[in-house]
Amino acid sequence: MHKDDQMTPNERLAAFFAGKEFDRLPAMPFVVTVAGRVCGMTHREKRSSAKNQAGCQIGCYEKYGHDALTVEWGLHGLAMSFGSETNDPEDAVPAVVKYAIDDWDQLDQLDIDKVTRHPWYQLNLEALKICVDKMSGEVGTNISFPGPFTSASDIISINKLLRGIAKHPDKVHRLMSIVTEALKVAAKPFVENGGGIFLCDPIASGNVISPAHYREFVKPYTTDLWNYIHSIGGAGGYHICGDTNAITVDMVETGCDMLSVDHAVNLADAKKLVGSKVPIIGNVDPINTMMLGTTEDVSNEVKLDLRQCYDNPCGYIVSTGCDIPLNGPLENIDAFMNAVRTCAKYPLDPSNFSE
């Protein structure tokens, strides 16, 4: 437990969800990509072994005392199991360089039985087990888990996927069905070994597809996935990057347990729409504030977010709007946690985060 806290994350979240008193609001900044740098490793070193993946998450927790660990199976995880290939940069997040399929006629080549056998899947499952074994008495561990539409865009190129919505909608639906069944297979061992599911689907953003296309090609499959995760005893949060204002209600209707929103979404607006249904997570700007801003900027934006959402009926978890970039100043993560500990201590007092 962090020296400046009075409760462990497990104790704090148990009280938070039960509507009881806690020492401060939960804080879950996305300390995922940057975790290696915090612990003195390049991103390649971090992702090279289960020991390093787990060790970096544990090391970040020991430094910052935030309220969840997150193992980085990542956005490309499922696509890699299907045969997509990524590059191997020394100190950046890998990108897809070869897609599993090039044409819609190749859908039959996608083999769900391969999903949990892929080395990257096995590495992250082992990293999860290490985190749970060492830390479960104090803090929970989530898996950074790709959403259905983003997974599809890494299996066939995003350009072909988006054109397919107009030209081959039946084939897009078939791919989405395959992906969803594969994600169920992937989720089961993670949940059975104590992991929470943090579902991230950035290509489903309102900056990429229309609300109508979200409702037809994403929402039904995401709903099916959450239903399955709940059926096996799992739970988690749902995040889509960018502008999701027009689909905020739809996202919650998929059945997610918590809603995470990017900095493009006004927290007060989200609170009005869905605050009586789910806890809201968010949303300090990861680029302009966490990467490019000063520690004072970070503190000020935490206060702004608190003013907008501290009184959310189902609760508010302070977070960043997305993953913290690799090359930002690490002192800004300290500033984020310091601001939460100073301004969001219980009982919550708006004068602590006034302008």
Side-chain angles (χ1 to χ4, degrees), residues 96-167:
V96 173
V97 294
K98 185 178 185 299
Y99 295 95
I101 60 174
D102 297 315
D103 188 87
W104 291 108
D105 293 333
Q106 297 175 315
L107 290 174
D108 287 337
Q109 297 178 16
L110 301 175
D111 185 358
I112 293 178
D113 290 339
K114 293 181 178 180
V115 170
T116 58
R117 299 202 302 263
H118 192 277
W120 178 241
Y121 181 92
Q122 289 292 324
L123 183 153
N124 283 283
L125 179 59
E126 181 58 28
L128 170 72
K129 291 177 179 178
I130 293 170
C131 288
V132 170
D133 180 62
K134 292 186 176 182
M135 305 301 296
S136 63
E138 185 168 332
V139 60
T141 302
N142 294 323
I143 283 286
S144 175
F145 197 86
F149 201 68
T150 297
S151 294
S153 76
D154 280 343
I155 292 169
I156 193 168
S157 75
I158 186 171
N159 289 335
K160 291 178 180 177
L161 178 64
L162 296 179
R163 286 198 300 268
I165 286 175
K167 295 182 177 181

Side-chain angles (χ1 to χ4, degrees), residues 7 15 32 79 88 92 98 135 191 222 233 274 284 319:
M7 304 174 80
V32 185
D88 187 30
K98 185 178 185 299
M135 305 301 296
V191 171
T222 307
V274 298
V284 172
S319 184

Side-chain angles (χ1 to χ4, degrees), residues 264-311:
V265 175
N266 182 284
L267 287 171
D269 292 340
K271 178 177 67 177
K272 290 177 184 176
L273 289 171
V274 298
S276 63
K277 298 178 180 178
V278 291
I280 293 174
I281 304 172
N283 68 345
V284 172
D285 190 326
I287 303 297
N288 293 311
T289 303
M290 296 302 296
M291 185 173 78
L292 300 177
T294 65
T295 56
E296 183 178 3
D297 293 331
V298 174
S299 180
N300 286 339
E301 191 163 348
V302 168
K303 292 178 183 179
L304 171 63
D305 289 351
L306 287 167
R307 290 196 295 274
Q308 292 180 343
C309 209
Y310 81 97
D311 56 351

Side-chain angles (χ1 to χ4, degrees), residues 79-96:
M80 291 169 66
S81 291
F82 275 133
S84 292
E85 298 175 8
T86 64
N87 58 6
D88 187 30
E90 180 63 43
D91 212 12
V93 178
V96 173

Side-chain angles (χ1 to χ4, degrees), residues 13-57:
L13 286 168
F16 174 85
F17 286 113
K20 298 180 180 179
E21 294 185 1
F22 44 81
D23 58 339
R24 62 162 173 82
L25 280 179
M28 295 182 183
F30 286 68
V31 187
V32 185
T33 297
V34 74
R37 182 167 164 241
V38 172
C39 296
M41 296 185 195
T42 66
H43 196 277
R44 182 188 289 166
E45 288 173 322
K46 180 186 81 72
R47 66 179 185 266
S48 67
S49 70
K51 179 181 177 181
N52 286 356
Q53 282 275 67
C56 287
Q57 281 302 307

